[in-house]
């Protein structure tokens, strides 16, 4: 991962003394969130399936957060049946508390309906809906105790028509709906928000289930539909995730679906 340039984003120690659990923290947007949260003073729990990728992020977190940075590497599959309570318990054992949960783990399998595999639908619904539900539930006592918040990393695909990518879009639309409903259900104790990235340069584009030419055509179409004329960077999304985690600046913000998309949904 070479896209994280967190020094440029250090805003304050707005998350000092807080602890944040980030899923999908081994690459892309999740890694950038972990590093920026550490820059802002937070301890971080890094969750994902590949332990080596999490260790790479942990090394960057230690660099960003300085000597006092506390980081817990907790390999876990968000699709696992059960285990969310144990995972959250392990994070609290290591970090002492949880103030923020970032449901960022994601998988993109793009195909027209007629050729879409039902296993891919299962993977996207598990990763984007079931996993976040289990983790929010497991984190809830800690989040209530500290007046914490949840940030879901959704997608503009959950808000736009997505021909050829309808199942991905549907899974993210479900996450958007969950965000808004839980924001009302859990207020005023716990805030629940989502960021909706447009196209962001991450390893996600290496494994979409498409062949090379189809991936190239997809990327060209995304670029053409993005008024700012380029893909975003993981840091540009992580900045807003960390802003929504900030209990002071975002104290009155809940239920928001925030596009961070280079104008794609404008
Ligand atoms: N890049 C974009 O253009 C874009 C646009 C809109 C939304 N998003 C969303 O942004 C989020 C982050 O994606 P990214 O772009 O940063 O791509 P990425 O680098 O591929 O990150 C996805 C991360 O999710 C983890 N993950 C996947 N399945 C998991 C599972 N079952 N359990 C635990 N971790 C899992 C992966 O790690 P392991 O494989 O090690 O588990 C990986 O680190 C996703 O929710 C994605 O849908 C991305």
């Amino acid at each position: 991962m070479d896209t994280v340039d967190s020094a440029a984003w250090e805003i304050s120690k707005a998350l000092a003394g807080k602890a944040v659990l980030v899923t999908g923290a081994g690459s892309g947007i999740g890694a950038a969130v972990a590093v920026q949260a550490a820059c802002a003073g937070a301890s971080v729990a890094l969750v994902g399936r590949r332990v080596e990728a999490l260790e790479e992020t942990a090394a960057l977190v230690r660099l960003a957060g300085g000597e006092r940075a506390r980081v817990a590497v907790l390999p876990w599959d968000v699709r696992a049946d059960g285990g969310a309570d144990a995972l959250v318990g392990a994070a609290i054992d290591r970090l002492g508390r949880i103030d923020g949960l970032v449901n960022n783990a994601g998988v993109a399998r793009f195909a027209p309906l007629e050729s879409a595999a039902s296993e891919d639908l299962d993977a996207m619904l598990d990763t984007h809906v079931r996993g976040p539900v289990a983790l929010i539930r497991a984190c809830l006592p800690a989040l209530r105790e500290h007046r914490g918040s949840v940030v879901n990393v959704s997608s503009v695909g959950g808000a736009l028509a997505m021909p050829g990518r309808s199942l991905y879009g549907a899974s993210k639309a479900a996450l958007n709906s969950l965000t808004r409903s839980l924001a009302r259900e859990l207020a005023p104790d716990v805030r629940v928000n989502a960021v909706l990235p447009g196209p962001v340069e991450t390893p996600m584009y290496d494994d979409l289930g498409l062949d090379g030419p189809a991936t190239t055509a997809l990327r060209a179409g995304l670029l053409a539909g993005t008024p700012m004329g380029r893909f975003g960077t993981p840091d540009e999304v992580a900045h807003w995730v960390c802003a929504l985690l900030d209990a002071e600046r975002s104290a009155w913000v809940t239920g928001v679906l925030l596009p961070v998309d280079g104008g794609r949904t404008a």
Side-chain angles (χ1 to χ4, degrees):
M1 188 199 49
D2 56 10
T3 50
V4 173
D5 176 18
S6 302
W9 286 97
E10 187 171 5
I11 23 175
S12 65
K13 292 292 177 194
L15 301 180
K18 311 285 187 190
V20 179
L21 188 154
V22 184
T23 69
S27 60
I29 294 166
V33 168
V35 172
Q36 284 194 32
C39 277
S43 303
V44 288
L46 309 177
V47 175
R49 292 168 299 183
R50 290 166 301 138
V51 68
E52 322 76 53
L54 298 177
E55 291 291 0
E56 270 185 44
T57 302
L60 293 171
V61 163
R62 289 186 192 101
L63 274 178
E67 269 174 25
R68 291 195 312 179
R70 291 171 78 188
V71 53
V73 169
L74 300 172
W76 191 60
D77 186 336
V78 303
R79 298 187 66 191
D81 233 348
D85 288 332
L87 176 85
V88 170
I92 293 173
D93 280 349
R94 298 277 296 278
L95 304 179
R97 56 192 287 154
I98 291 185
D99 305 87
L101 166 65
V102 181
N103 284 308
N104 164 80
V107 56
R109 288 285 173 279
F110 295 163
L113 182 64
E114 283 157 302
S115 56
S118 55
E119 310 83 73
D120 288 344
L121 176 60
D122 290 343
M124 291 188 283
L125 289 175
D126 286 353
T127 311
H128 303 155
V129 186
R130 285 180 197 280
V133 167
L135 282 173
I136 294 168
R137 213 179 251 154
C139 286
L140 209 44
L143 294 176
R144 281 195 201 281
E145 185 184 345
H146 299 296
R147 290 233 155 191
S149 81
V150 176
V151 181
N152 295 318
V153 179
S154 182
S155 170
V156 293
L160 296 169
M162 294 274 282
R165 288 167 276 157
S166 59
L167 304 185
Y168 177 81
S171 70
K172 291 295 194 177
L175 184 59
N176 291 350
S177 172
L178 187 72
T179 301
R180 296 185 64 203
S181 297
L182 290 184
R184 283 186 169 265
E185 188 173 320
L186 302 180
D189 297 343
V190 177
R191 297 178 301 107
V192 186
N193 292 293
V195 295
L196 279 52
V200 178
E201 201 61 71
T202 72
M204 193 181 88
Y205 290 90
D206 300 342
D207 189 18
L208 298 172
L210 301 172
D211 62 20
T215 300
T216 303
L218 172 78
R219 288 179 59 102
L222 290 171
L223 195 57
T226 303
M228 291 306 286
R230 63 172 175 83
F231 276 40
T233 68
D235 267 327
E236 288 173 315
V237 178
H239 172 79
W240 293 103
V241 173
C242 289
L244 289 169
L245 288 171
D246 181 344
E248 280 187 27
R249 283 182 305 169
S250 296
W252 213 44
V253 179
T254 195
V256 156
L257 307 178
L258 178 67
V260 182
D261 66 355
R264 187 164 156 68
T265 49

